[in-house]
Amino acid sequence: MAMIEDLIEFLQSEPEDLILLWDRIEGWHPVNSESRFFQYWKPEEVSLKGLRSLVVESDRPVYDVFLKRIETDIRGEGEICGTDAGRTYASVRMQQEEGIGYYNVECRFHRNADHCISKMLVLVQQMDAEEVYRMKLAHTITNDSTPSFFATTAREIMVKNPDKKYAIIQFDVAKFKVINEIYGEVRGDEILQFFIDTLKVVCHENQLYVRLSADVFMILTPYEELEDINRFIDLLDQNLLGYKDMNYTLVYGVCLIRDMKDGLRKYGDSAALARQSIKGDALTHVAFFEDKMKEGIYTRKFIEDNMKKALKNKEFVMYLQPKYSISQNCMVGAEALVRWIHPEKGIIPPMEFIPLFEKNGFVIKMDQYIWEEACKTIRQWMDDGIEPLPISVNVSRRNLRDNQFIDVLNGLIDKYQIPKKYLEIEITETIEDAQVNNGVTLLKENGYTLLMDDFGSGYSSLNMLKDTQFDVIKMDRGFLQDFIGSERGQRIVEHTIKMTADIGLDMVAEGVETQEQAAFLEKCGCDTAQGFYYDRPMTLEDFNKKMTK
Ligand code: C2E
Ligand code: CA
Ligand code: CA
């Protein structure tokens, strides 16, 4: 127990600071009652929680994180669990009679032999000039000049502790734009400010953070084993998520520093590549940089240089993935999925190029090409006397921006003389988006069957089902796989299926990979499934063989 007692003795010589002690007998009580805090602080507020009343309004969320962390530390779940005396601190501004002051609030606790907390010590100490400078900086870093501050300081840290290993972590908010749309930009800004404030509490002195751009943050952290990095990311998640009950997730890219003499920039870029590699994947949120990710950069240039030629040379090929009736165990439809078959590189999967095509607008041309392939296929079946199965095609949101797409679709239906019921439309609905709504209405008025793609991923919400014009919901692969593992998750899936059926919508489950999943879906009343358990996407030739078997 020496530690806390020694400290108190030492600190009592500094009457400027505030020292509070909690023990089982006396509860909270001041140790240095001469501290000037007591001149204006109400006696009944003297406690760790009561200290919150002195913290300036805008720093209170940080203080709350601090309190939350202490709670987990006390329960022994925090990262300091197992040690004899824990130390947790926050840097906050506090209102004083003479104005606002910058303080470090620190909490230490001591456990008795039974591992119960026997004493808690709270120290409130004024920051020194250097600390105040850093805190002010943390509040204002939004411009380009700070990454250089980061680089210099990072170097200092590494030089000071050369025997440690280091990693760069970058993270950002998944679909931050959508967050801004849902909650408003003010809330978006608040979240980012909250991140900055929280990072101050969560990062210790050898962990350096910087805000790189809007919602991208970078952290230098020492580590011994890779597990330390994962633990730190868990800690970040615990503290950064759930601000004011908002629903958002963070994606992390990690790059290990191989040689401290290298420029940091290279490692930052690699962490960024790792982070970007996760975008759009609902199942992971942390990626470690691997050398092969660098190839991605060349691919990007490669793609832009080659896309037009590829379209002309018919390198884009329509694959079909069957949709099955679970109860009948037979094919009931197909989804058209594009593949880029490059003469040298082989098959390039759509996730490698579609996101880029969506940015540069080429997706419009490519989509329309695939729609035509689907229409041609249906015509061919009809000509061959085969009862066609409906094919659903993906319509990128980019297409919905102007009304031309409807003329293109109607034109194809006309050209190939096929009933509209055979060409179904898949659209990824996120939230209220006037352009998409407009496009959806147009499609509906023109008599197409609409499938809401990726339902249950990211930010699709129950709200969207209220006045929806869609006919079919496609349950996202991630939703199914995330939820099916637990009893509670299963109930959610079950009720989602019941609810959509109840409001008259059909349901297709995507990403069905096992017999158990299929059986579970059938039991819940969802009879249509698409996924590797049945078939992977295949060439038209293979699909035709299956169909006529
Ligand atoms: P999506 O529309 O959600 O398509 C379903 C994706 O899930 C396909 O990936 C499919 O191969 C994959 N998948 C199906 N069953 C399973 C399963 O059981 N397990 C797993 N792990 N995956 C399964 P794919 O073909 O790589 O396409 C990825 C995405 O690219 C599509 O997601 C879609 O958003 C986009 N895409 C593909 N073709 C087109 C297209 O012609 N136009 C547009 N705009 N987007 C397309
Ligand atoms: Ca789709
Ligand atoms: Ca989907």
Side-chain angles (χ1 to χ4, degrees):
M1 204 151 303
M3 221 170 143
I4 281 185
E5 257 82 75
D6 288 353
L7 245 167
I8 291 175
E9 209 187 311
F10 170 71
L11 288 163
Q12 267 171 338
S13 55
E14 305 262 342
E16 271 295 284
D17 300 328
L18 171 67
I19 312 173
L20 297 181
L21 191 64
W22 177 91
D23 61 34
R24 301 203 153 261
I25 299 154
E26 287 190 74
W28 285 109
H29 55 281
V31 175
N32 56 342
S33 33
E34 313 84 81
S35 161
R36 62 201 168 95
F37 275 81
F38 296 107
Q39 291 163 16
Y40 59 94
W41 198 22
K42 299 193 197 101
E44 67 272 20
E45 289 187 336
V46 172
S47 74
L48 182 62
K49 284 215 171 81
L51 204 57
R52 188 179 187 275
S53 65
L54 303 184
V55 175
V56 299
E57 188 79 35
S58 56
D59 282 359
R60 286 193 185 163
V62 181
Y63 195 76
D64 292 338
V65 170
F66 168 66
L67 290 178
K68 199 170 91 188
R69 252 193 105 191
I70 290 170
E71 264 170 42
T72 43
D73 288 343
I74 289 175
R75 287 200 306 266
E77 296 161 4
E79 58 163 9
I80 345 186
C81 66
T83 60
D84 208 31
R87 176 179 177 274
T88 308
Y89 75 95
S91 307
V92 286
R93 288 165 295 177
M94 288 206 222
Q95 193 63 49
Q96 307 268 288
E97 274 193 324
E98 64 276 21
I100 288 174
Y102 287 77
Y103 289 89
N104 283 321
V105 185
E106 179 177 336
C107 179
R108 293 176 189 235
F109 45 88
H110 199 279
R111 296 178 189 276
N112 62 19
D114 308 331
H115 239 71
C116 293
I117 301 279
S118 56
K119 277 187 201 271
M120 258 197 278
L121 174 74
V122 172
L123 295 176
V124 184
Q125 291 177 295
Q126 199 138 27
M127 288 186 197
D128 63 27
E130 162 81 19
E131 286 172 313
V132 172
Y133 165 73
R134 280 206 181 206
M135 185 159 170
K136 284 186 177 160
L137 188 78
H139 276 284
T140 51
I141 39 175
T142 45
N143 55 28
D144 279 352
S145 63
T146 35
S148 72
F149 171 83
F150 179 86
T152 335
T153 319
R155 196 148 302 288
E156 280 167 24
I157 292 178
M158 291 191 286
V159 168
K160 224 168 35 189
N161 310 283
D163 44 330
K164 282 245 167 17
K165 291 188 270 188
Y166 291 89
I168 294 275
I169 302 176
Q170 271 205 13
F171 71 87
D172 71 346
V173 182
K175 306 189 189 166
F176 188 61
K177 209 173 145 288
V178 184
I179 302 279
N180 275 335
E181 282 166 21
I182 298 179
Y183 297 109
E185 275 182 27
V186 174
R187 275 304 179 79
D189 289 350
E190 259 181 52
I191 293 184
L192 299 178
Q193 187 59 49
F194 169 70
F195 285 179
I196 294 177
D197 297 341
T198 307
L199 287 171
K200 273 183 294 207
V201 184
V202 173
C203 294
H204 59 62
E205 58 186 344
N206 286 334
Q207 288 169 322
L208 186 69
Y209 63 89
V210 65
R211 177 176 168 188
L212 287 180
S213 66
D215 67 327
V216 183
F217 290 79
M218 181 157 80
I219 303 177
L220 171 84
T221 182
Y223 71 98
E224 265 157 37
E225 296 158 33
L226 287 184
E227 208 25 52
D228 297 341
I229 298 177
N230 286 325
R231 260 200 297 271
F232 179 55
I233 287 177
D234 281 346
L235 182 74
L236 290 173
D237 261 352
Q238 272 171 36
N239 286 291
L240 298 176
L241 294 180
Y243 175 69
K244 293 198 175 163
D245 287 332
M246 285 188 256
N247 189 8
Y248 52 89
T249 51
L250 301 176
V251 286
Y252 299 86
V254 184
C255 182
L256 309 179
I257 295 182
R258 289 211 194 99
D259 185 344
M260 288 190 221
K261 288 196 278 307
D262 288 343
L264 264 191
R265 191 186 169 132
K266 169 175 130 183
Y267 294 111
D269 287 350
S270 298
L273 271 179
R275 176 174 58 79
Q276 285 153 4
S277 75
I278 316 177
K279 288 271 161 92
D281 184 339
L283 298 177
T284 38
H285 78 304
V286 181
F288 282 71
F289 174 76
E290 295 164 45
D291 280 327
K292 70 172 194 285
M293 284 175 183
K294 258 197 238 134
E295 291 166 19
I297 318 177
Y298 303 117
T299 324
R300 188 173 302 177
K301 183 170 168 2
F302 166 85
I303 288 170
E304 300 221 297
D305 289 348
N306 288 277
M307 59 191 190
K308 292 209 177 88
K309 195 170 76 198
L311 191 65
K312 208 169 86 214
N313 295 349
K314 300 198 185 314
E315 289 171 19
F316 293 114
V317 175
M318 175 187 71
Y319 271 43
L320 291 175
Q321 186 178 30
K323 294 174 192 166
Y324 271 77
S325 155
I326 302 177
S327 60
Q328 313 283 315
N329 198 32
C330 66
M331 292 203 286
V332 291
E335 174 175 5
L337 293 160
V338 68
R339 297 288 179 268
W340 182 346
I341 318 265
H342 190 268
E344 285 142 38
K345 301 219 168 222
I347 301 185
I348 309 177
M351 288 323 281
E352 295 267 322
F353 55 88
I354 299 261
L356 192 64
F357 286 3
E358 270 168 358
K359 277 199 201 117
N360 67 21
F362 194 70
V363 76
I364 297 184
K365 286 217 168 64
M366 194 216 68
D367 269 358
Q368 295 178 355
Y369 178 79
I370 296 294
W371 304 345
E372 177 144 18
E373 291 297 294
C375 291
K376 258 190 223 166
T377 303
I378 295 164
R379 178 74 254 163
Q380 192 62 51
W381 289 335
M382 290 167 72
D383 289 347
D384 294 346
I386 303 169
E387 167 71 21
L389 290 174
I391 298 179
S392 59
V393 293
N394 289 287
V395 173
S396 152
R397 302 159 72 80
R398 190 72 194 238
N399 254 304
L400 303 174
R401 278 204 199 160
D402 61 50
N403 293 342
Q404 266 179 11
F405 77 94
I406 197 76
D407 300 332
V408 176
L409 274 174
N410 288 338
L412 290 168
I413 294 283
D414 246 18
K415 178 170 168 195
Y416 292 97
Q417 288 292 304
I418 54 176
K420 275 185 183 149
K421 65 173 180 184
Y422 293 133
L423 188 72
E424 299 179 340
I425 308 294
E426 294 198 10
I427 297 172
T428 307
E429 196 30 327
T430 47
I431 45 149
E432 288 301 291
D433 177 329
Q435 275 164 340
V436 173
N437 281 344
N438 188 20
V440 166
T441 309
L442 213 52
L443 282 159
K444 214 55 238 162
E445 284 168 2
N446 279 271
Y448 290 94
T449 304
L450 299 186
L451 287 71
M452 189 187 287
D453 208 353
D454 302 337
F455 183 78
S457 74
Y459 301 95
S460 56
S461 72
L462 296 177
N463 224 353
M464 282 162 18
L465 297 179
K466 200 162 57 74
D467 313 302
T468 188
Q469 311 192 64
F470 283 82
D471 306 283
V472 182
I473 302 295
K474 290 194 85 180
M475 195 195 321
D476 186 57
R477 165 169 68 101
F479 182 73
L480 182 68
Q481 296 182 347
D482 274 359
F483 282 61
I484 212 159
S486 72
E487 178 66 26
R488 205 180 156 131
Q490 289 186 2
R491 293 286 79 76
I492 295 175
V493 173
E494 180 184 345
H495 288 287
T496 308
I497 293 171
K498 295 227 160 79
M499 178 207 43
T500 45
D502 206 31
I503 55 177
L505 298 169
D506 277 340
M507 163 85 77
V508 179
E510 284 190 312
V512 177
E513 292 184 347
T514 64
Q515 200 270 330
E516 288 76 38
Q517 290 171 351
F520 175 73
L521 290 163
E522 188 184 9
K523 194 183 89 197
C524 298
C526 168
D527 191 47
T528 316
Q530 175 183 346
F532 294 174
Y533 171 61
Y534 292 100
D535 281 309
R536 290 183 179 249
M538 59 185 85
T539 59
L540 177 60
E541 197 187 350
D542 286 345
F543 191 88
N544 280 336
K545 275 189 209 141
K546 263 195 172 290
M547 220 165 122
T548 49
K549 212 166 36 187

